[in-house]
Amino acid sequence: MAAPHSHRLPSVKQLEAFLVIESTRNLTEAANRLHVSQPALSRTLQLMEEAVQARLFERNTRSMELTPAGVAMLPIAKRLVGEFHESFGRFGEFLGGQRGQVVVAGLPSVVVALMPLAIQRLAQVSPGVEVKVLSFVEQQVLAAVRAGSVDFALATQPASSGGLSFEQLLNDEYVLVCRKDDPLARRRTAPWSAVERRSFVAMAPSSSVRPVTDRVFVELGIAVEVRYESDNISLMGPMVAAGLGVSVLPRLALALTDCSQLAVVRLTSPDVSRSVGLLQRVNAPLSPVAGRLLEILRETPRHAGSKRASRQA
């Protein structure tokens, strides 16, 4: 007999045939179960025995009994066939969007507003999926998408596409935030000029909010006294509540700060909003599960996030 290293590996089809023959101990019955002819099954068994270079069954007119080599092969065949079907079952679940991992980056205010409901809906149809959400500032979001370290991102529309595609989901309006005892709190709307010469609590220049507010102030010629600023949006509400000034924030961002002592006033003249949506690399295919989450986000009511922020405000 040849040395063990010269043995060939039997195919999955041969292993499956071996297991059916072992369970029936009869070639005719085994062939019927496998929906093949008896000669074809005999040939399959012969090829397997040639592959492993060992006789696996002792044949007689009534039944087939395992040889010592067949006894040794039995647990191996069961394990290999089981692992084969389990692995391809998982692969099928992956292709069907039932299994896998999706990684999403986004601006804090946007992921807080949109991702919990989307993840909940995904879990209902694909409970085996893992979701990882990364909260970044705008430049980090763009870098993560371009590097391919995330499947897609939830962000504002970038000024320059640079190999990225943007699909709008909703418009997020900018609102005035002030204390409830501020004279502006009694108004339903206020012009941007209402913040002129008021102490202003601003987001840091590295945020996605600050460039927008600065641009509007410059375009309108509004003199704003930026006395306080923070790169942490959760500090904005407490700072305004402490009487340090008024602020302007996107409505979705209100979910990230304590607004219990604040009033939120819609800004007009002009109406300003940011376009929030899905950011992807151009021509980068998504995994099935990432594609499924993307579709769920597209189906999310466009006003849901704003309504939640309004209730919390």
Side-chain angles (χ1 to χ4, degrees):
M1 182 174 291
H5 68 266
S6 65
H7 289 198
R8 299 190 303 275
L9 294 177
S11 68
V12 173
K13 178 182 177 181
Q14 292 168 352
L15 292 170
E16 289 176 327
F18 167 77
L19 291 175
V20 175
I21 295 171
E22 188 278 331
S23 68
T24 61
R25 303 297 175 95
N26 183 283
L27 273 178
T28 301
E29 185 178 347
N32 289 335
R33 287 193 186 184
L34 292 169
H35 305 290
V36 298
S37 68
Q38 183 175 328
L41 181 57
S42 295
R43 178 59 177 163
T44 298
L45 177 58
Q46 179 186 352
L47 291 173
M48 180 174 176
E49 290 178 329
E50 291 176 358
V52 300
Q53 298 183 5
R55 191 172 180 83
L56 300 174
F57 289 97
E58 291 292 347
R59 301 163 176 81
N60 58 48
T61 55
R62 293 187 176 181
S63 66
M64 304 176 67
E65 298 297 329
L66 288 173
T67 65
V71 172
M73 174 61 69
L74 184 60
I76 298 172
K78 287 181 177 179
R79 184 176 71 253
L80 291 175
V81 170
E83 290 176 353
F84 176 84
H85 288 291
E86 182 181 355
S87 296
F88 270 87
R90 288 196 297 266
F91 182 64
E93 291 177 344
F94 169 80
L95 292 179
Q98 296 296 321
R99 185 180 292 272
Q101 183 186 74
V102 55
V103 183
V104 181
L107 300 175
S109 59
V110 180
V111 295
V112 165
L114 299 182
M115 284 304 297
L117 178 60
I119 295 173
Q120 179 191 50
R121 292 180 60 194
L122 180 66
Q124 292 171 349
V125 296
S126 302
V129 167
E130 299 176 8
V131 181
K132 186 175 183 179
V133 182
L134 306 175
S135 179
F136 292 147
V137 297
E138 185 175 38
Q139 293 306 313
Q140 291 175 317
V141 170
L142 295 175
V145 177
R146 289 194 172 103
S149 58
V150 299
D151 292 289
F152 60 86
L154 288 166
T156 56
Q157 185 168 11
S160 175
S161 59
L164 304 178
S165 66
F166 178 81
E167 178 184 343
Q168 180 176 310
L169 292 179
L170 54 87
N171 278 315
D172 185 21
E173 66 177 352
Y174 282 78
V175 294
L176 172 70
V177 181
C178 62
R179 285 168 53 102
K180 288 183 176 179
D181 59 1
D182 192 290
L184 290 173
R186 296 192 294 269
R187 305 179 61 166
R188 296 187 60 183
T189 64
W192 281 73
S193 58
V195 303
E196 188 166 22
R197 305 194 185 285
R198 296 285 305 267
S199 177
F200 192 75
V201 182
M203 290 294 299
S206 60
S207 72
S208 63
V209 175
R210 181 67 174 274
V212 176
T213 56
D214 283 355
R215 173 179 55 81
V216 175
F217 293 146
V218 170
E219 290 177 353
L220 297 179
I222 297 174
V224 175
E225 183 183 356
V226 179
R227 297 187 60 187
Y228 309 98
E229 70 177 36
S230 173
D231 63 354
N232 188 336
I233 203 165
S234 64
L235 286 176
M236 303 302 286
M239 290 174 74
V240 173
L244 300 178
V246 297
S247 188
V248 173
L249 296 171
R251 190 174 287 276
L252 290 183
L254 300 180
L256 297 175
T257 191
D258 180 8
C259 293
S260 59
Q261 302 178 55
L262 305 178
V264 178
V265 182
R266 182 171 175 268
L267 283 169
T268 60
S269 304
D271 295 330
V272 178
S273 63
R274 59 178 183 170
S275 181
V276 173
L278 301 164
L279 201 60
Q280 297 175 256
R281 284 189 300 160
V282 174
N283 299 324
L286 290 176
S287 68
V289 64
R292 175 164 287 186
L293 180 57
L294 200 72
E295 287 303 317
I296 289 174
L297 284 165
R298 286 176 176 141
E299 296 166 3
T300 301
R302 296 178 179 243
H303 61 282
S306 294
K307 279 190 172 181
R308 179 189 303 179
S310 297
R311 288 196 298 269
Q312 293 183 356

